[in-house]
Amino acid sequence: MDLVNHLEGRLLFAVPKKGRLLQACLNLLEGADIQFRRENRLDIALVKNLPIALIFLPAADIPTFVGEGRVDLGITGYDQVQEHDAGVRAAAGARRMSNGWDAKPQGCETVMELGFGACKLQVQVPAKGEYTQSKDLIGKNIGTSFVHLTHDFFARLEMEQEGITDPKQMEGRKLRTHIIELSGSVEAACALGVADGIVDLVESGETMKAAGLKAIDTVIETSAILIKSKAPSNPELVNLIASRIRGVITAQKFVLCQYNVPRERLAAVTAITPGKRAPTITSLDEEGWVAVSAMVEKKQIAPVMDKLLKEGAEDILVLDIHNTRCS
């Protein structure tokens, strides 16, 4: 089957082809009932039950494909979107300096945060070295795969050091700090003498510590996000997918708490379980009693149950939510 010919009329949805976000993305797609089978060594998969084609791309490339309108939707890290946007700004600035022309990039829009893949893009230095603050690295060699964010970060530091308040004064000026682009194994750069410090993602910190490094500053905090083109081919389908994904995320975050309580205690218990919009209250066959049902954040359910019990609630049940559609 010629997959390229089968893309016509399908909404293109980019997901990371590998790395730390892949498995969580696949779980999210499954929860949203986006059914597909990915053949070995193919980076395109046709969805069976919706007019969608999944495009498996490096996470760093997804903001570019979405921003240029080549694909309609994408899942990637907030860090990758910010790196892409910083690169677009740098290119626009270079064009202004060369001939005064400033084309407005099409860009992409954030639809929602997805609640996984949280980490930090941090400035790291040898743990036993002389550097203790980011400004100590001004004029030094910095290794990173996030060259644009790193450039902007150290440009701001150099502005502060020189007392410059208008960023336009930095346009056209060469950065004193040397940014070295590395595509992998960034954490080894200091030990190998390539860099004095690095800017890299830190999740648990174990890799950083194993490499003899410590974090001295945070450039940005990041997690996975859903992004869309500013001109998607099928806006209605984009909204459908977003609604499904939002439902899956809500279902993962909440549980349904049900209990019985005397009517005179209703105000006290509903203050504990207000629900997403409002609790559902049903009269019981036993006079003076009601049944209450409300969504509760999963991480709060244990203390909530304890409080309900103290307020006179009985028969407390907690049910998993497999999926939902709610605001």
Side-chain angles (χ1 to χ4, degrees), residues 49 107 118 150 159 168 184 203 230 235 240 271 322:
N49 58 334
T150 301
M159 282 177 57
K168 290 184 179 180
E203 193 167 2
K230 290 186 176 179
L240 174 69
H322 292 290

Side-chain angles (χ1 to χ4, degrees), residues 257-261 269-270 273 290-292 308 313-317:
C257 183
Q258 298 179 333
Y259 55 90
N260 299 326
V261 68
V269 294
T270 54
T273 57
V290 294
V292 179
L308 290 173
E314 297 182 9
D315 311 317
I316 303 171
L317 300 176

Side-chain angles (χ1 to χ4, degrees), residues 17 97 127 174 255 260 314 317:
K17 65 187 298 182
M97 293 299 295
K174 188 175 181 181
V255 291
N260 299 326
E314 297 182 9
L317 300 176

Side-chain angles (χ1 to χ4, degrees), residues 239-253:
N239 292 336
L240 174 69
I241 295 168
S243 176
R244 288 191 179 190
I245 289 176
R246 189 175 287 110
V248 174
I249 294 170
T250 301
Q252 293 171 344
K253 187 177 179 181

